[in-house]
Amino acid sequence: MTSRVARLPLLLAAATALLLAGCAPFLPDPFPTGSPAPSSSPPPSATATPTPPPATAGPTPSPDSSEEPQPDPSSAAKPDLADVRLTTEGLGSLRIGRPASASGMVAYDPDFCDGVADDPGDPANGRWVSTYGGDTFGVSVTAEGLVSSVGVRQADLRTPRDIGMGSTLEEVRAAHPDAVQVPLTEGLTDVWVLRGPSGQTVFEVAADSSPGYFPPAVLGTVVTLRTSELGTGERSIWGSDGGEGSCL
């Protein structure tokens, strides 16, 4: 009985040792799976990469900046006579107020009116004349060499709306409703004027102010057609020698 009691404390001590060895208190894993090991220096903070500024486009060119400048009409090469029209600004490249020398449509003839002055080569004998030959049109030029008026002399030289010599007054008024009649106290024609920005087209229409002068078929039709400086040439020249390029 005594020996059994003596062994009991030893058994209890052994059991306690086993319990302490196998039942250690739980501590969390300081390095969880997938976690980085701690470092002695803190991780660098994330620095955002600066976004470059958007590309700045150059100044937008105006619509006209890339266009070639348009040539001066008075500097145009000699056009085909069939292509030119009489406008309030001139005939083809013969433009009112522009140098006659800039157009290939006329050339200066120093002796065209030979006999007006006694001395050959006198400026009074010189005129600018058509380079197309024949009696196509006449031109008056100032002492400075600028075109002051152009008068057509053949029926196929017409306005952009197809009015020319031989057109009736009704056709003139229908095609050019802005044309107005100029009151005259004398003359054989009625004068109608179509005014533009810097020039004007003058239509002379055969009138019956002198009965029997014009044949009945000509009455009421255009007998002279010209373009002149604005405010000039508003008169009847039919039956006179005072037309464009005249030697008188």
Side-chain angles (χ1 to χ4, degrees), residues 36 38 194 216 228:
L194 177 67
S228 60

Side-chain angles (χ1 to χ4, degrees), residues 13-38:
T16 301
L18 290 172
L19 288 173
L20 290 175
C23 301
F26 173 78
L27 293 177
D29 185 356
F31 307 112
T33 302
S35 297

Side-chain angles (χ1 to χ4, degrees), residues 86-90 95-96 176 178-180 192-203 226-232 234:
L86 185 74
T87 72
T88 60
E89 307 307 303
R95 303 296 291 270
I96 301 299
H176 300 288
D178 292 335
V180 296
W192 291 75
V193 177
L194 177 67
R195 298 183 177 93
S198 59
Q200 60 186 20
T201 298
V202 180
F203 307 86
R226 62 188 180 273
T227 287
S228 60
E229 295 174 323
L230 195 62
T232 66
E234 298 179 0

